[in-house]
Amino acid sequence: MEILNLITSDLLYDLARGPLVWISFLILILGTIYRTVKLFSFTRKKKNAWPVSLPKKKAPDGDTDKSAPLIPKWKFTVFGAHPVMISVSTVFHVILFIAPIFLLAHNIMLDEAVGFSLCSFPEKVTDYMTIVFLVCGLFFLLRRIFIARVRAISSVYDYIIWCITVAPFLTGFLSYYQVFDYKTMIILHMLSGELMLAAAPFTKIFHMVFFFFGRFVLVTQHTIGKGSRTW
């Protein structure tokens, strides 16, 4: 039985470290291209952009005070309404994107696979980043569980996406410090990372790409710049 488990684990390890990596990246790239093209197909090039005006301050008598400055635009965005949420979300998404790219272990594997690698953060830095990421993930989970308005619109799907997103960081951290069985944890780390890459274009994780499309391409009240397309 132990020999069978060893063979199975070695086979799964080789699959996770080799073919499944390339398959997950291929799905990520092709899926992202497909979703982006489909997204563009729902929009059209803008003709005339409408100006977005903000309300002016009211004088005590109810008339518009033309001499009063406009209310800062950021107060009408999530930055003004939920500063803690947007701060945690920004940190979470930045770490989610950059930590895997500049992780030393990942770049060593990249060098072994294709002969080149990117620069890497010191291991202590990525340790701290992982801890901060997991704390942010816990914040999102507790928010979804205990805040009524968020819990009301949450489904099993949302918790599955949370698990898919957090699992690669948690299993990577546990395997690095050899908590539990190292072989099992490193296999779970690779499989969970590959699952996240493959799922990204077809789940809510894709909102990381849509964010830039919505802020820099679409013409809305939250557009950064002029924008070039409308729904």
Side-chain angles (χ1 to χ4, degrees):
M1 186 66 179
E2 291 182 0
I3 296 177
L4 180 60
N5 290 336
L6 179 62
I7 294 174
T8 303
S9 65
D10 286 343
L11 176 61
L12 189 57
Y13 177 84
D14 291 338
L15 285 173
R17 195 173 187 272
L20 293 181
V21 176
W22 299 108
I23 291 172
S24 61
F25 271 107
L26 184 62
I27 294 174
L28 172 67
I29 294 170
L30 294 180
T32 299
I33 293 173
Y34 167 75
R35 289 294 305 277
T36 302
V37 171
K38 187 175 181 180
L39 191 60
F40 264 87
S41 71
F42 293 140
T43 66
R44 63 181 184 277
K45 190 172 181 60
K46 72 173 184 179
K47 294 183 179 178
N48 296 310
W50 57 89
V52 179
S53 59
L54 296 174
K56 298 179 181 295
K57 287 185 177 180
K58 297 292 184 179
D61 59 0
D63 296 330
T64 300
D65 183 1
K66 294 182 179 180
S67 63
L70 293 176
I71 300 173
K73 184 177 180 179
W74 66 269
K75 288 190 176 182
F76 295 96
T77 69
V78 68
F79 292 94
H82 303 287
V84 174
M85 174 63 184
I86 194 60
S87 298
V88 174
S89 181
T90 300
V91 171
F92 181 87
H93 287 86
V94 169
I95 295 177
L96 175 63
F97 182 75
I98 67 173
I101 295 176
F102 299 109
L103 183 69
L104 178 60
H106 290 179
N107 278 292
I108 291 174
M109 293 179 64
L110 181 64
D111 185 64
E112 292 176 350
V114 298
F116 77 92
S117 63
L118 304 172
C119 60
S120 302
F121 292 138
E123 291 183 317
K124 279 295 182 184
V125 172
T126 49
D127 275 357
Y128 292 138
M129 292 173 68
T130 300
I131 293 171
V132 171
F133 179 88
L134 294 175
V135 171
C136 292
L138 180 61
F139 169 83
F140 288 129
L141 178 62
L142 295 178
R143 177 176 178 271
R144 191 170 292 281
I145 293 174
F146 292 107
I147 296 182
R149 68 177 185 277
V150 181
R151 185 173 63 249
I153 60 174
S154 299
S155 64
V156 174
Y157 170 79
D158 295 297
Y159 293 101
I160 291 175
I161 294 299
W162 182 89
C163 291
I164 290 175
T165 306
V166 172
F169 284 80
L170 179 59
T171 53
F173 188 80
L174 294 177
S175 63
Y176 179 78
Y177 284 100
Q178 300 189 26
V179 179
F180 306 118
D181 178 64
Y182 172 78
K183 191 69 170 289
T184 301
M185 295 310 302
I186 197 65
I187 290 175
L188 289 175
H189 171 63
M190 290 186 289
L191 291 176
S192 60
E194 289 154 3
L195 176 61
M196 184 176 70
L197 290 176
F202 309 104
T203 63
K204 285 185 176 181
I205 302 174
F206 190 72
H207 76 269
M208 293 181 66
V209 176
F210 182 76
F211 171 84
F212 294 99
F213 184 82
R215 290 296 179 269
F216 295 97
V217 179
L218 288 178
V219 179
T220 69
Q221 66 269 33
H222 301 304
T223 303
I224 299 174
K226 294 182 178 180
S228 61
R229 303 186 70 84
T230 59
W231 290 115

